[in-house]
Amino acid sequence: MGAEARNEFGMQSPVQMGLTVTNEYASSALADMAHAEPLERYEPRSDELRKLYREEGQAKRRMDARPGLWIAVTIYLLFSATDLLLIPDVALYTIMARFAVGVTALLTLEAQLRRGVATEWIDVTCAAAIIFGYVGWLSPAVTGADKESVSYYMVFGTIFMMSANLFFTFKFSLSIVTSSIILIILYIVNYFVPSALAYKMVFGTFYISCFTFTSYVNWKLNEERYNVFLNALEAKIQHKEATERGQALLSLSRTDPLTGLENRRAIDEKLRDYWSDWQRHGSVFVAILIDVDFFKRFNDYYGHQEGDRCLILVANALAEMIKQHNGSIGRYGGEEFIVLARMEKREQVAGLAEAIRSTVENLALPHQQRRDGTSVVTVSVGAAFTRPQTGAKLEKIIHEADRALYLAKAGGRNCTWLFDPNDPQSSDESENIAALLKIAIGQDLVSLVYQPIQNVASGRVEAVEALMRLKMLDGTSVPPSLFIPVAERTGAVLELGRWAIRTVCTELLADDHVRVVSVNVSPIQLKTPGFAASVATILSETGVAGSRLALEITEGLEMEMHSDILRCISDLKLLGVRVWLDDFGTGFAGLSWLRLIDFDTVKIDRSFLHDCGTPRGKAMLQDIIALVRNRGHKILVEGVETDEQLALIRDFDIDKIQGFHVGRPAPAANFRTKPATYKRTLSIVKSA
């Protein structure tokens, strides 16, 4: 952002600078994710991996210790049968030794597990059970009378060696120590047991072969377990990375890159959840739409970077406030936000809407280009909450909130509006009107009446104002105050406006029944590309000069002075079309419009004339007249209804007047006469 923004806002605060960084980071996050190099992974050292392997192995060894020892002791005791067959003379002693060692080992293990001793001590207990189990059986066995049977029976000692290496999952060092002790005992007994030298050599070789083979297999198994651990660790890391990347992508796909709030996709999903809970369980909730007032003007003047910063500050403030109400907030598009919250009472909804409005206003972000008497950034708020009449369609509540937001903006901005089904402007009746407007032209439901405008000096009808009327299919009239806002909100005013201009040209202007007809135009029409061209086409097709047509622009809050409107007005004046400023004094932008546009006529709102019963009101009207006259515009005063008011107008030397004292709105047929008979027409209209 250039110096312009800093000149307006002064030096950037740390918060603003932080927000800028956040904004830039968030905006490029998705692109960074798409083109990022693989995540840099921490590669642990070999000693760290070994330590981690041992720590994880401890849990497995601890878990396997109880069933392992119980199975080993059970098999150990079952070998009592072989004692009875091979060494019956000492079998009683060997069996007693087996039970003594087995029961002691199991009791010791259970006590250790109950007390939660370290895994290393549990391994030592199991290793000791193997050693003492072998010694406890061997000691009485070698005392048997049948030395030949004893010598062959000793071969079973290799089972204990294999148990140390293969049955239990000891650390390799503990397995080697245990199996080595068994091997040494085997050699000692083999040396002392009476037998031939060939026997000693054969079985000695067998013992060392068993030790070597089982130790090698144990070593390979430990290496394989370690490799399995590494592969599992690698898979776990990759799964974690994939999960984190997936979560990051999912979060980014559901997050607005500018503000960090949930985006429309995420808020729509949450809205469906809220709606489902309401449909199933009756959980009432509120939908609130928030629109930053005059944001386009803010962007145009301060620049898009400051516009982005404005949205970020507003979003952060609202997000912090919404947390207190356990609600959700998201960016719904452009400068619009949406809030969802569970609330049951209308008063709660109204309170939350007002809290949203005041939160933004209290930020006091400068906005000097508003032209409506406010110099800070504000928001308009429209709220709607579920009720039995909401219906079964999810879109209904958003539509109701949108209608409430429209009414809040039309009501002056920086205000809140709660959807009320009993309000004609926001109720379902407006939906019926919206549907009616779609067929109004084709079904001849719309028509024009004309109210005369008198030249005060000559007393002649100088022009007429076209006023639109609408009727229902059953002939019931719809007040303009009801259908005009709906037409503007739905965009139907564009087609109705073109129809009105064409109709006044064909009904009154083409055959020179009146000199000038004025038609009210909406800001929406002036903002629409091609509006001036469509007016030119109608004038050409009907053969009417542009100077015969006047377009009245209402001085209201909707009239933002951006380039599209100014360009359109300039194009209209090139066609010769007269441009009038309507209802001057009722808005905040009138002086700016007088400065920028050379209006042919300025219509002063009727309220100023009606207030002339007091000295202060009369002075106000005189000041307004002086202001407009100094700008060189012709003046038309609306609402002249009495002789006294007419006399006052003459005293003020006003150019033109309009009101019931001049004539009420009447059909075009009442004005189809030649210019020479205008005075007679005036008397007819006044008596109508």
Side-chain angles (χ1 to χ4, degrees):
M1 180 63 189
E4 296 89 351
R6 286 187 171 82
N7 289 340
E8 286 292 334
F9 290 96
M11 291 295 292
Q12 287 182 308
S13 70
V15 172
Q16 289 177 316
M17 290 188 285
L19 287 169
T20 303
V21 174
T22 303
N23 177 16
E24 293 172 352
Y25 171 78
S27 300
S28 61
L30 279 170
D32 291 344
M33 287 293 293
H35 303 289
E37 294 295 328
L39 293 175
E40 183 178 348
R41 186 185 306 159
Y42 169 68
E43 297 289 349
R45 299 189 305 273
S46 177
D47 57 338
E48 292 178 334
L49 287 173
R50 289 286 179 181
K51 181 180 179 181
L52 183 60
Y53 169 68
R54 287 194 298 270
E55 290 174 353
E56 290 198 4
Q58 285 182 357
K60 179 173 175 54
R61 297 202 310 274
R62 192 178 192 88
M63 183 176 62
D64 293 342
R66 174 180 282 142
L69 188 60
W70 274 89
I71 292 172
V73 169
T74 301
I75 295 173
Y76 178 63
L77 295 177
L78 290 176
F79 266 92
S80 298
T82 59
D83 292 346
L84 293 172
L85 293 174
L86 298 176
I87 49 175
D89 56 332
V90 292
L92 177 63
Y93 302 109
T94 58
I95 292 172
M96 290 174 61
R98 288 178 187 274
F99 274 91
V101 173
V103 171
T104 300
L106 291 176
L107 291 175
T108 302
L109 176 67
E110 293 297 328
Q112 288 177 326
L113 291 174
R114 188 177 297 274
R115 292 173 57 187
V117 299
T119 304
E120 287 79 3
W121 288 107
I122 293 176
D123 288 344
V124 170
T125 297
C126 294
I130 293 173
I131 296 172
F132 284 106
Y134 177 55
V135 173
W137 161 76
L138 185 63
S139 297
V142 296
T143 62
D146 190 349
K147 300 301 182 182
E148 185 176 358
S149 295
V150 171
S151 64
Y152 287 107
Y153 200 23
M154 284 176 54
V155 176
F156 285 101
T158 56
I159 295 176
F160 295 90
M161 188 187 300
M162 288 187 286
S163 297
N165 280 322
L166 306 178
F167 188 78
F168 290 94
T169 55
F170 298 146
K171 290 192 297 185
F172 182 70
S173 57
L174 182 59
S175 298
I176 291 296
V177 170
T178 304
S179 57
S180 297
I181 293 173
I182 300 297
L183 178 64
I184 292 171
I185 294 172
L186 279 170
Y187 267 100
I188 292 173
V189 175
N190 188 43
Y191 178 78
F192 287 104
V193 171
S195 57
L197 180 61
Y199 171 89
K200 294 181 183 293
M201 293 180 63
V202 169
F203 280 97
T205 304
F206 174 72
Y207 295 154
I208 194 66
S209 298
C210 273
F211 173 80
T212 304
F213 174 75
T214 57
S215 296
Y216 175 75
V217 171
N218 185 20
W219 176 72
K220 294 296 289 183
L221 285 174
N222 273 283
E223 286 299 310
E224 185 63 26
R225 292 188 192 104
Y226 182 64
N227 290 331
V228 169
F229 159 76
L230 291 179
N231 291 335
L233 182 63
E234 177 74 11
K236 187 184 297 183
I237 292 173
Q238 291 178 352
H239 176 72
K240 182 179 179 182
E241 290 175 350
T243 301
E244 290 176 349
R245 186 179 290 271
Q247 290 174 344
L249 287 172
L250 179 61
S251 177
L252 285 173
S253 71
R254 296 167 54 85
T255 302
D256 174 56
L258 175 65
T259 63
L261 300 178
E262 292 180 307
N263 60 14
R264 186 157 188 164
R265 172 185 174 183
I267 210 72
D268 281 344
E269 291 178 4
K270 192 158 291 184
L271 179 60
R272 284 193 290 271
D273 293 338
Y274 275 74
W275 184 266
S276 178
D277 288 344
W278 177 66
Q279 292 282 344
R280 294 177 182 177
H281 312 297
S283 301
V284 180
F285 71 94
V286 59
I288 302 176
L289 291 178
I290 307 158
D291 188 83
V292 180
D293 297 328
F294 299 106
F295 185 71
K296 184 180 185 302
R297 185 183 299 280
F298 187 98
N299 252 349
D300 291 344
Y301 183 76
Y302 295 113
H304 290 284
Q305 187 173 358
E306 286 301 327
D308 289 347
R309 183 173 288 111
C310 170
L311 291 178
I312 293 171
L313 290 170
V314 169
N316 289 345
L318 291 179
E320 190 66 27
M321 190 273 294
I322 295 300
K323 282 182 183 178
Q324 304 171 13
H325 298 271
N326 298 319
S328 303
I329 182 171
R331 189 180 180 197
Y332 217 50
E335 66 272 23
E336 192 169 83
F337 301 91
I338 184 172
V339 169
L340 301 175
R342 301 192 187 280
M343 292 186 169
E344 297 184 357
K345 296 181 179 179
R346 186 181 181 87
E347 294 76 13
Q348 292 177 309
V349 177
L352 177 57
E354 175 57 27
I356 291 171
R357 187 206 63 77
S358 60
T359 295
V360 176
E361 186 178 39
N362 291 339
L363 288 175
L365 301 176
H367 190 352
Q368 302 292 342
Q369 301 300 308
R370 291 178 54 130
R371 312 283 187 186
D372 66 345
T374 304
S375 58
V376 297
V377 171
T378 61
V379 292
S380 299
V381 183
F385 61 96
T386 50
R387 62 191 195 288
Q389 296 82 8
T390 302
K393 290 187 177 180
L394 171 64
E395 296 79 9
K396 185 69 179 294
I397 189 169
I398 296 298
H399 184 53
E400 291 176 349
D402 189 56
R403 284 153 65 182
L405 176 61
Y406 175 83
L407 292 171
K409 294 168 70 175
R413 291 188 170 91
N414 190 25
C415 65
T416 65
W417 197 285
L418 182 57
F419 178 82
D420 183 358
N422 299 316
D423 184 350
Q425 296 187 75
S426 59
S427 68
D428 290 338
E429 183 180 354
S430 68
E431 293 304 294
N432 297 332
I433 294 173
L436 190 67
L437 290 172
K438 294 180 181 179
I439 62 172
I441 296 175
Q443 298 289 330
D444 292 328
L445 300 176
V446 64
S447 61
L448 294 177
V449 293
Y450 301 89
Q451 186 172 22
I453 297 172
Q454 180 184 10
N455 184 297
V456 177
S458 66
R460 295 170 61 88
V461 174
E462 185 174 280
V464 294
E465 178 183 3
L467 303 171
M468 190 173 293
R469 296 292 184 259
L470 177 70
K471 62 183 178 181
M472 307 286 282
L473 291 171
D474 61 1
T476 305
S477 296
V478 182
S481 60
L482 201 55
F483 76 80
I484 294 297
V486 175
E488 291 181 334
R489 175 168 57 85
T490 60
V493 71
L494 297 176
E495 185 179 1
L496 290 172
R498 288 191 292 268
W499 173 86
I501 294 172
R502 183 178 294 276
T503 300
V504 301
C505 288
T506 56
E507 283 189 341
L508 295 180
L509 293 177
D511 295 326
D512 294 330
H513 293 300
V514 294
R515 290 192 182 94
V516 176
V517 178
S518 70
V519 180
N520 289 278
V521 293
S522 164
I524 297 173
Q525 294 170 268
L526 296 175
K527 294 177 186 177
T528 303
F531 174 71
S534 68
V535 173
T537 300
I538 294 172
L539 293 174
S540 176
E541 291 175 352
T542 57
V544 174
S547 60
R548 308 275 307 285
L549 177 67
L551 297 182
E552 296 190 19
I553 301 174
T554 302
E555 186 235 328
L557 293 172
E558 288 294 333
M559 290 299 296
E560 300 178 32
M561 289 182 294
H562 50 63
S563 58
D564 292 340
I565 290 181
L566 295 176
R567 188 181 302 112
C568 180
I569 293 174
S570 177
D571 292 342
L572 290 170
K573 292 185 76 66
L574 288 175
L575 295 173
V577 175
R578 307 182 188 208
V579 179
W580 294 2
L581 180 59
D582 192 16
D583 294 336
F584 179 75
T586 58
F588 296 98
L591 295 178
S592 297
W593 282 105
L594 289 178
R595 178 174 57 85
L596 291 172
I597 300 171
D598 184 21
F599 290 102
D600 298 278
T601 298
V602 174
K603 299 178 70 173
I604 298 176
D605 187 70
R606 68 183 64 238
S607 61
F608 294 99
L609 177 62
H610 293 178
D611 286 344
C612 283
T614 64
R616 184 173 182 179
K618 186 175 180 180
M620 175 67 75
L621 179 58
Q622 286 178 305
D623 291 341
I624 293 176
I625 292 171
L627 174 65
V628 176
R629 184 168 286 141
N630 289 337
R631 295 295 302 174
H633 306 293
K634 291 184 178 179
I635 301 173
L636 187 157
V637 176
E638 300 175 294
V640 178
E641 299 176 356
T642 65
D643 290 332
E644 291 78 8
Q645 290 174 339
L646 180 58
L648 184 63
I649 290 297
R650 288 198 175 103
D651 291 341
F652 288 159
D653 196 21
I654 300 299
D655 301 297
K656 292 174 281 191
I657 58 172
Q658 184 179 7
F660 291 165
H661 190 73
V662 177
R664 294 177 179 273
N670 290 33
F671 297 90
R672 286 182 181 142
T673 182
K674 295 299 181 182
T677 59
Y678 278 158
K679 294 195 73 172
R680 182 165 56 86
T681 300
L682 175 59
S683 63
I684 295 174
V685 171
K686 290 180 67 175
S687 62

